[in-house]
Amino acid sequence: AAAIAYEYTPAEYQRVLFNRRRTAIGTPNELRTKLETIATDFGVDEIVLSTFTETAEDRFHSYELLADLFALRPREIPTFQES
């Protein structure tokens, strides 16, 4: 309730509006479109994502869903072996 009643300063509200351009919430198709738009707007070919969930399992599942959405598959990462 306190968060809903909070009154932003003009500077805080400008930050909120700026950050909304960098967030994505929605259905899988909406997310794909939004993430592709963010990448285009910022001129990048890679995006680092952080999802906020109550449990680690939910967070990992969200990453699995995103990987499926973009048809991403795990890569083999070479390991360093000491001699």
Side-chain angles (χ1 to χ4, degrees):
I4 292 171
Y6 184 80
E7 291 189 34
Y8 292 103
T9 66
E12 289 172 330
Y13 191 67
Q14 288 303 310
R15 176 54 72 178
V16 167
L17 295 177
F18 175 78
N19 284 336
R20 283 184 185 164
R21 291 183 36 222
R22 306 180 315 165
T23 61
I25 301 168
T27 67
N29 287 335
E30 291 169 338
L31 283 176
R32 183 179 183 99
T33 299
K34 178 68 174 181
L35 293 172
E36 289 172 342
T37 300
I38 289 171
T40 300
D41 289 350
F42 285 91
V44 298
D45 60 4
E46 181 176 275
I47 297 175
V48 176
L49 298 169
S50 181
T51 60
F52 300 96
T53 62
E54 191 168 326
T55 66
E57 291 81 13
D58 288 343
R59 186 171 57 253
F60 295 142
H61 183 63
S62 73
Y63 295 141
E64 290 170 344
L65 293 172
L66 285 164
D68 289 345
L69 183 63
F70 286 93
L72 301 175
R73 298 292 163 244
R75 292 184 288 170
E76 282 292 319
I77 301 175
T79 57
F80 175 77
Q81 295 184 6
E82 294 185 40
S83 345

